[in-house]
Amino acid sequence: DLDALHALLEARQAMPFAYGPNDCATFAGACVEAQTGRNPVSGFGKWSNETGAAKAVKKAGGLTKAVSSVLTKVQTAMAQRGDVALVKHDGAEALMIVEGDMLVGPDENGLRRLPRAVMTRAWSAE
C-alpha cells in the first residue's frame, strides 16, 4: 500500500530521530507495516536510547542478520519503492526506505534523503 507509505512519510517529515519511537529500525518497521500491515522489527525488543538499541542489534546478531531474519533479501539494483535498504553513513550502518532514486530515513531534523547509490543491501518489504 504505497499510499499508506506516502502518508507515513508525510506525517514523519519533520519528526526528529529518537531512539525507540523514530530511529532507523523503528522507522523501517513502521514503513513496512504501513505497506503490509505487519511490522517486521517488532520482535527485536524495545529500546529508548543508543545503548538499548545497540544491545538489541547485538542480540539479533547484527543489523544485517536481524533484518535478513524477517525480510527477504533482494539485489540492490532490484530494490523497489518501499523496500528496506542498508546504508553506511557517517561511519555507521543504518536502515532507510527506498523512495525511487533516493533513500529516506530519520535524521535529527526530520527525514533525510540520500542517493540510492549508497545502499549496500536491500530487503523486500513484501
Side-chain angles (χ1 to χ4, degrees), residues 2-41:
L2 291 178
D3 290 336
L5 175 62
H6 290 290
L8 182 118
L9 294 177
E10 183 66 30
R12 293 205 181 188
Q13 187 61 40
M15 181 184 273
F17 178 98
Y19 284 103
N22 197 42
D23 57 51
C24 74
T26 56
F27 173 80
C31 289
V32 171
E33 184 174 25
Q35 297 172 82
T36 67
R38 66 177 182 85
N39 186 328
V41 302

mmCIF file of all heavy atoms in Angstrom, residues 2-41:
data_model
loop_
_atom_site.group_PDB
_atom_site.id
_atom_site.type_symbol
_atom_site.label_atom_id
_atom_site.label_comp_id
_atom_site.label_asym_id
_atom_site.label_seq_id
_atom_site.Cartn_x
_atom_site.Cartn_y
_atom_site.Cartn_z
ATOM 1 N N LEU A 2 1.275 1.672 -1.189
ATOM 2 C CA LEU A 2 2.175 2.819 -1.295
ATOM 3 C C LEU A 2 1.518 4.112 -0.838
ATOM 4 O O LEU A 2 2.209 5.031 -0.382
ATOM 5 C CB LEU A 2 2.714 2.945 -2.718
ATOM 6 C CG LEU A 2 3.687 1.838 -3.128
ATOM 7 C CD1 LEU A 2 4.128 2.002 -4.569
ATOM 8 C CD2 LEU A 2 4.890 1.792 -2.209
ATOM 9 N N ASP A 3 0.197 4.207 -0.925
ATOM 10 C CA ASP A 3 -0.484 5.399 -0.414
ATOM 11 C C ASP A 3 -0.275 5.526 1.096
ATOM 12 O O ASP A 3 -0.039 6.624 1.611
ATOM 13 C CB ASP A 3 -1.978 5.354 -0.737
ATOM 14 C CG ASP A 3 -2.258 5.545 -2.220
ATOM 15 O OD1 ASP A 3 -1.414 6.151 -2.923
ATOM 16 O OD2 ASP A 3 -3.319 5.086 -2.686
ATOM 17 N N ALA A 4 -0.357 4.423 1.805
ATOM 18 C CA ALA A 4 -0.136 4.436 3.253
ATOM 19 C C ALA A 4 1.316 4.796 3.567
ATOM 20 O O ALA A 4 1.591 5.516 4.529
ATOM 21 C CB ALA A 4 -0.504 3.086 3.859
ATOM 22 N N LEU A 5 2.249 4.306 2.750
ATOM 23 C CA LEU A 5 3.655 4.657 2.936
ATOM 24 C C LEU A 5 3.848 6.160 2.745
ATOM 25 O O LEU A 5 4.502 6.814 3.554
ATOM 26 C CB LEU A 5 4.551 3.876 1.976
ATOM 27 C CG LEU A 5 6.037 4.264 2.003
ATOM 28 C CD1 LEU A 5 6.646 4.014 3.371
ATOM 29 C CD2 LEU A 5 6.792 3.512 0.917
ATOM 30 N N HIS A 6 3.279 6.715 1.694
ATOM 31 C CA HIS A 6 3.392 8.163 1.447
ATOM 32 C C HIS A 6 2.812 8.960 2.611
ATOM 33 O O HIS A 6 3.385 9.972 3.029
ATOM 34 C CB HIS A 6 2.708 8.546 0.139
ATOM 35 C CG HIS A 6 3.420 8.046 -1.064
ATOM 36 N ND1 HIS A 6 4.634 8.539 -1.492
ATOM 37 C CD2 HIS A 6 3.089 7.075 -1.947
ATOM 38 C CE1 HIS A 6 5.023 7.889 -2.570
ATOM 39 N NE2 HIS A 6 4.103 6.995 -2.868
ATOM 40 N N ALA A 7 1.695 8.520 3.146
ATOM 41 C CA ALA A 7 1.073 9.204 4.280
ATOM 42 C C ALA A 7 1.990 9.164 5.505
ATOM 43 O O ALA A 7 2.135 10.158 6.221
ATOM 44 C CB ALA A 7 -0.284 8.584 4.596
ATOM 45 N N LEU A 8 2.618 8.019 5.742
ATOM 46 C CA LEU A 8 3.532 7.899 6.872
ATOM 47 C C LEU A 8 4.736 8.821 6.680
ATOM 48 O O LEU A 8 5.155 9.509 7.617
ATOM 49 C CB LEU A 8 3.993 6.457 7.048
ATOM 50 C CG LEU A 8 4.920 6.287 8.250
ATOM 51 C CD1 LEU A 8 4.303 5.353 9.272
ATOM 52 C CD2 LEU A 8 6.261 5.776 7.813
ATOM 53 N N LEU A 9 5.292 8.856 5.485
ATOM 54 C CA LEU A 9 6.434 9.733 5.215
ATOM 55 C C LEU A 9 6.053 11.196 5.416
ATOM 56 O O LEU A 9 6.818 11.977 5.996
ATOM 57 C CB LEU A 9 6.980 9.504 3.808
ATOM 58 C CG LEU A 9 7.607 8.138 3.545
ATOM 59 C CD1 LEU A 9 8.038 8.019 2.094
ATOM 60 C CD2 LEU A 9 8.766 7.859 4.488
ATOM 61 N N GLU A 10 4.884 11.559 4.972
ATOM 62 C CA GLU A 10 4.411 12.935 5.155
ATOM 63 C C GLU A 10 4.262 13.255 6.644
ATOM 64 O O GLU A 10 4.663 14.325 7.097
ATOM 65 C CB GLU A 10 3.074 13.127 4.437
ATOM 66 C CG GLU A 10 2.538 14.533 4.516
ATOM 67 C CD GLU A 10 3.388 15.555 3.786
ATOM 68 O OE1 GLU A 10 4.039 15.208 2.782
ATOM 69 O OE2 GLU A 10 3.401 16.720 4.226
ATOM 70 N N ALA A 11 3.702 12.329 7.405
ATOM 71 C CA ALA A 11 3.496 12.547 8.835
ATOM 72 C C ALA A 11 4.816 12.657 9.595
ATOM 73 O O ALA A 11 4.896 13.353 10.609
ATOM 74 C CB ALA A 11 2.656 11.413 9.419
ATOM 75 N N ARG A 12 5.842 11.996 9.105
ATOM 76 C CA ARG A 12 7.138 11.991 9.804
ATOM 77 C C ARG A 12 8.138 12.968 9.194
ATOM 78 O O ARG A 12 9.294 13.003 9.616
ATOM 79 C CB ARG A 12 7.720 10.585 9.805
ATOM 80 C CG ARG A 12 6.880 9.641 10.647
ATOM 81 C CD ARG A 12 7.694 8.509 11.145
ATOM 82 N NE ARG A 12 6.880 7.597 11.926
ATOM 83 C CZ ARG A 12 7.378 6.600 12.609
ATOM 84 N NH1 ARG A 12 8.670 6.378 12.598
ATOM 85 N NH2 ARG A 12 6.588 5.814 13.308
ATOM 86 N N GLN A 13 7.731 13.756 8.245
ATOM 87 C CA GLN A 13 8.644 14.662 7.540
ATOM 88 C C GLN A 13 9.476 15.516 8.506
ATOM 89 O O GLN A 13 10.658 15.700 8.295
ATOM 90 C CB GLN A 13 7.864 15.559 6.574
ATOM 91 C CG GLN A 13 8.734 16.407 5.681
ATOM 92 C CD GLN A 13 9.655 15.597 4.782
ATOM 93 O OE1 GLN A 13 9.289 14.577 4.236
ATOM 94 N NE2 GLN A 13 10.884 16.051 4.638
ATOM 95 N N ALA A 14 8.874 16.030 9.546
ATOM 96 C CA ALA A 14 9.588 16.902 10.476
ATOM 97 C C ALA A 14 9.886 16.227 11.818
ATOM 98 O O ALA A 14 10.404 16.865 12.726
ATOM 99 C CB ALA A 14 8.777 18.178 10.709
ATOM 100 N N MET A 15 9.569 14.934 11.949
ATOM 101 C CA MET A 15 9.804 14.226 13.216
ATOM 102 C C MET A 15 11.296 13.923 13.356
ATOM 103 O O MET A 15 11.879 13.265 12.506
ATOM 104 C CB MET A 15 9.008 12.916 13.244
ATOM 105 C CG MET A 15 9.181 12.127 14.535
ATOM 106 S SD MET A 15 8.320 10.526 14.467
ATOM 107 C CE MET A 15 6.712 11.033 15.022
ATOM 108 N N PRO A 16 11.935 14.394 14.420
ATOM 109 C CA PRO A 16 13.369 14.146 14.583
ATOM 110 C C PRO A 16 13.682 12.704 14.988
ATOM 111 O O PRO A 16 12.837 12.010 15.552
ATOM 112 C CB PRO A 16 13.777 15.117 15.688
ATOM 113 C CG PRO A 16 12.531 15.354 16.462
ATOM 114 C CD PRO A 16 11.400 15.225 15.488
ATOM 115 N N PHE A 17 14.892 12.295 14.696
ATOM 116 C CA PHE A 17 15.400 10.994 15.105
ATOM 117 C C PHE A 17 15.301 10.885 16.619
ATOM 118 O O PHE A 17 15.663 11.801 17.345
ATOM 119 C CB PHE A 17 16.868 10.868 14.672
ATOM 120 C CG PHE A 17 17.521 9.573 15.075
ATOM 121 C CD1 PHE A 17 17.622 8.531 14.173
ATOM 122 C CD2 PHE A 17 18.053 9.409 16.346
ATOM 123 C CE1 PHE A 17 18.233 7.341 14.543
ATOM 124 C CE2 PHE A 17 18.659 8.230 16.721
ATOM 125 C CZ PHE A 17 18.754 7.195 15.803
ATOM 126 N N ALA A 18 14.832 9.743 17.091
ATOM 127 C CA ALA A 18 14.790 9.457 18.525
ATOM 128 C C ALA A 18 14.823 7.949 18.709
ATOM 129 O O ALA A 18 14.015 7.231 18.112
ATOM 130 C CB ALA A 18 13.525 10.041 19.162
ATOM 131 N N TYR A 19 15.779 7.477 19.513
ATOM 132 C CA TYR A 19 15.853 6.039 19.767
ATOM 133 C C TYR A 19 14.547 5.549 20.362
ATOM 134 O O TYR A 19 14.037 6.118 21.304
ATOM 135 C CB TYR A 19 17.023 5.704 20.699
ATOM 136 C CG TYR A 19 18.350 5.757 19.991
ATOM 137 C CD1 TYR A 19 19.204 6.829 20.160
ATOM 138 C CD2 TYR A 19 18.717 4.734 19.121
ATOM 139 C CE1 TYR A 19 20.419 6.877 19.494
ATOM 140 C CE2 TYR A 19 19.926 4.783 18.438
ATOM 141 C CZ TYR A 19 20.772 5.855 18.638
ATOM 142 O OH TYR A 19 21.964 5.903 17.966
ATOM 143 N N GLY A 20 14.006 4.529 19.761
ATOM 144 C CA GLY A 20 12.726 3.957 20.192
ATOM 145 C C GLY A 20 11.612 4.367 19.259
ATOM 146 O O GLY A 20 11.232 3.600 18.390
ATOM 147 N N PRO A 21 11.115 5.583 19.366
ATOM 148 C CA PRO A 21 9.967 5.953 18.524
ATOM 149 C C PRO A 21 10.311 6.256 17.063
ATOM 150 O O PRO A 21 9.466 6.061 16.195
ATOM 151 C CB PRO A 21 9.388 7.189 19.215
ATOM 152 C CG PRO A 21 10.501 7.747 20.021
ATOM 153 C CD PRO A 21 11.380 6.588 20.399
ATOM 154 N N ASN A 22 11.540 6.717 16.779
ATOM 155 C CA ASN A 22 11.852 7.098 15.393
ATOM 156 C C ASN A 22 13.341 6.982 15.095
ATOM 157 O O ASN A 22 13.991 7.947 14.697
ATOM 158 C CB ASN A 22 11.360 8.528 15.104
ATOM 159 C CG ASN A 22 11.287 8.810 13.615
ATOM 160 O OD1 ASN A 22 10.843 7.989 12.829
ATOM 161 N ND2 ASN A 22 11.720 9.994 13.221
ATOM 162 N N ASP A 23 13.890 5.785 15.310
ATOM 163 C CA ASP A 23 15.260 5.518 14.879
ATOM 164 C C ASP A 23 15.200 4.753 13.565
ATOM 165 O O ASP A 23 14.112 4.515 13.036
ATOM 166 C CB ASP A 23 16.045 4.762 15.962
ATOM 167 C CG ASP A 23 15.393 3.451 16.366
ATOM 168 O OD1 ASP A 23 15.062 2.639 15.488
ATOM 169 O OD2 ASP A 23 15.214 3.238 17.585
ATOM 170 N N CYS A 24 16.327 4.364 13.015
ATOM 171 C CA CYS A 24 16.302 3.753 11.678
ATOM 172 C C CYS A 24 15.523 2.441 11.647
ATOM 173 O O CYS A 24 14.797 2.166 10.695
ATOM 174 C CB CYS A 24 17.719 3.583 11.128
ATOM 175 S SG CYS A 24 18.711 2.266 11.868
ATOM 176 N N ALA A 25 15.621 1.636 12.704
ATOM 177 C CA ALA A 25 14.931 0.339 12.710
ATOM 178 C C ALA A 25 13.426 0.506 12.914
ATOM 179 O O ALA A 25 12.625 -0.109 12.200
ATOM 180 C CB ALA A 25 15.512 -0.572 13.791
ATOM 181 N N THR A 26 13.035 1.339 13.883
ATOM 182 C CA THR A 26 11.608 1.510 14.117
ATOM 183 C C THR A 26 10.945 2.247 12.960
ATOM 184 O O THR A 26 9.790 1.978 12.632
ATOM 185 C CB THR A 26 11.332 2.215 15.461
ATOM 186 O OG1 THR A 26 12.022 3.469 15.503
ATOM 187 C CG2 THR A 26 11.769 1.350 16.627
ATOM 188 N N PHE A 27 11.685 3.151 12.322
ATOM 189 C CA PHE A 27 11.163 3.839 11.135
ATOM 190 C C PHE A 27 10.940 2.834 10.005
ATOM 191 O O PHE A 27 9.878 2.804 9.380
ATOM 192 C CB PHE A 27 12.139 4.939 10.695
ATOM 193 C CG PHE A 27 11.767 5.586 9.402
ATOM 194 C CD1 PHE A 27 10.778 6.566 9.348
ATOM 195 C CD2 PHE A 27 12.410 5.232 8.222
ATOM 196 C CE1 PHE A 27 10.435 7.170 8.140
ATOM 197 C CE2 PHE A 27 12.073 5.830 7.021
ATOM 198 C CZ PHE A 27 11.083 6.799 6.978
ATOM 199 N N ALA A 28 11.944 1.991 9.748
ATOM 200 C CA ALA A 28 11.812 0.992 8.681
ATOM 201 C C ALA A 28 10.651 0.044 8.983
ATOM 202 O O ALA A 28 9.858 -0.283 8.095
ATOM 203 C CB ALA A 28 13.116 0.214 8.513
ATOM 204 N N GLY A 29 10.534 -0.380 10.235
ATOM 205 C CA GLY A 29 9.427 -1.255 10.619
ATOM 206 C C GLY A 29 8.072 -0.598 10.400
ATOM 207 O O GLY A 29 7.136 -1.223 9.903
ATOM 208 N N ALA A 30 7.964 0.673 10.755
ATOM 209 C CA ALA A 30 6.707 1.401 10.564
ATOM 210 C C ALA A 30 6.376 1.548 9.084
ATOM 211 O O ALA A 30 5.208 1.454 8.684
ATOM 212 C CB ALA A 30 6.784 2.768 11.229
ATOM 213 N N CYS A 31 7.394 1.761 8.261
ATOM 214 C CA CYS A 31 7.163 1.889 6.817
ATOM 215 C C CYS A 31 6.683 0.574 6.212
ATOM 216 O O CYS A 31 5.757 0.557 5.389
ATOM 217 C CB CYS A 31 8.428 2.375 6.114
ATOM 218 S SG CYS A 31 8.831 4.106 6.445
ATOM 219 N N VAL A 32 7.300 -0.535 6.614
ATOM 220 C CA VAL A 32 6.861 -1.840 6.125
ATOM 221 C C VAL A 32 5.445 -2.121 6.622
ATOM 222 O O VAL A 32 4.595 -2.595 5.870
ATOM 223 C CB VAL A 32 7.837 -2.954 6.543
ATOM 224 C CG1 VAL A 32 7.273 -4.334 6.213
ATOM 225 C CG2 VAL A 32 9.194 -2.754 5.867
ATOM 226 N N GLU A 33 5.178 -1.791 7.881
ATOM 227 C CA GLU A 33 3.841 -2.013 8.427
ATOM 228 C C GLU A 33 2.785 -1.195 7.683
ATOM 229 O O GLU A 33 1.678 -1.677 7.432
ATOM 230 C CB GLU A 33 3.813 -1.664 9.909
ATOM 231 C CG GLU A 33 2.486 -1.964 10.567
ATOM 232 C CD GLU A 33 2.517 -1.747 12.068
ATOM 233 O OE1 GLU A 33 3.340 -0.953 12.560
ATOM 234 O OE2 GLU A 33 1.702 -2.398 12.749
ATOM 235 N N ALA A 34 3.119 0.025 7.310
ATOM 236 C CA ALA A 34 2.166 0.859 6.557
ATOM 237 C C ALA A 34 1.793 0.188 5.237
ATOM 238 O O ALA A 34 0.653 0.267 4.795
ATOM 239 C CB ALA A 34 2.768 2.242 6.300
ATOM 240 N N GLN A 35 2.746 -0.501 4.643
ATOM 241 C CA GLN A 35 2.514 -1.133 3.345
ATOM 242 C C GLN A 35 1.864 -2.501 3.448
ATOM 243 O O GLN A 35 1.106 -2.892 2.567
ATOM 244 C CB GLN A 35 3.846 -1.302 2.603
ATOM 245 C CG GLN A 35 4.543 -0.009 2.281
ATOM 246 C CD GLN A 35 5.917 -0.293 1.741
ATOM 247 O OE1 GLN A 35 6.054 -0.592 0.552
ATOM 248 N NE2 GLN A 35 6.922 -0.222 2.586
ATOM 249 N N THR A 36 2.197 -3.257 4.499
ATOM 250 C CA THR A 36 1.813 -4.669 4.553
ATOM 251 C C THR A 36 0.910 -5.040 5.720
ATOM 252 O O THR A 36 0.357 -6.138 5.741
ATOM 253 C CB THR A 36 3.067 -5.563 4.648
ATOM 254 O OG1 THR A 36 3.696 -5.342 5.915
ATOM 255 C CG2 THR A 36 4.036 -5.293 3.513
ATOM 256 N N GLY A 37 0.839 -4.174 6.728
ATOM 257 C CA GLY A 37 0.065 -4.496 7.915
ATOM 258 C C GLY A 37 0.839 -5.255 8.970
ATOM 259 O O GLY A 37 0.308 -5.579 10.024
ATOM 260 N N ARG A 38 2.108 -5.550 8.713
ATOM 261 C CA ARG A 38 2.931 -6.244 9.716
ATOM 262 C C ARG A 38 4.247 -5.496 9.910
ATOM 263 O O ARG A 38 4.826 -4.981 8.954
ATOM 264 C CB ARG A 38 3.200 -7.693 9.341
ATOM 265 C CG ARG A 38 4.054 -7.863 8.116
ATOM 266 C CD ARG A 38 4.361 -9.331 7.805
ATOM 267 N NE ARG A 38 5.224 -9.409 6.649
ATOM 268 C CZ ARG A 38 6.551 -9.304 6.686
ATOM 269 N NH1 ARG A 38 7.164 -9.123 7.820
ATOM 270 N NH2 ARG A 38 7.264 -9.389 5.586
ATOM 271 N N ASN A 39 4.683 -5.425 11.151
ATOM 272 C CA ASN A 39 5.921 -4.736 11.482
ATOM 273 C C ASN A 39 6.999 -5.785 11.728
ATOM 274 O O ASN A 39 6.985 -6.457 12.763
ATOM 275 C CB ASN A 39 5.729 -3.860 12.714
ATOM 276 C CG ASN A 39 6.946 -3.017 13.009
ATOM 277 O OD1 ASN A 39 8.069 -3.415 12.750
ATOM 278 N ND2 ASN A 39 6.715 -1.839 13.561
ATOM 279 N N PRO A 40 7.949 -5.932 10.814
ATOM 280 C CA PRO A 40 8.941 -6.994 10.938
ATOM 281 C C PRO A 40 9.958 -6.777 12.052
ATOM 282 O O PRO A 40 10.607 -7.728 12.464
ATOM 283 C CB PRO A 40 9.625 -7.002 9.574
ATOM 284 C CG PRO A 40 9.480 -5.599 9.089
ATOM 285 C CD PRO A 40 8.137 -5.158 9.591
ATOM 286 N N VAL A 41 10.113 -5.570 12.556
ATOM 287 C CA VAL A 41 11.112 -5.345 13.596
ATOM 288 C C VAL A 41 10.513 -5.343 15.002
ATOM 289 O O VAL A 41 11.237 -5.201 15.978
ATOM 290 C CB VAL A 41 11.919 -4.043 13.366
ATOM 291 C CG1 VAL A 41 12.616 -4.063 12.028
ATOM 292 C CG2 VAL A 41 11.069 -2.816 13.515
#
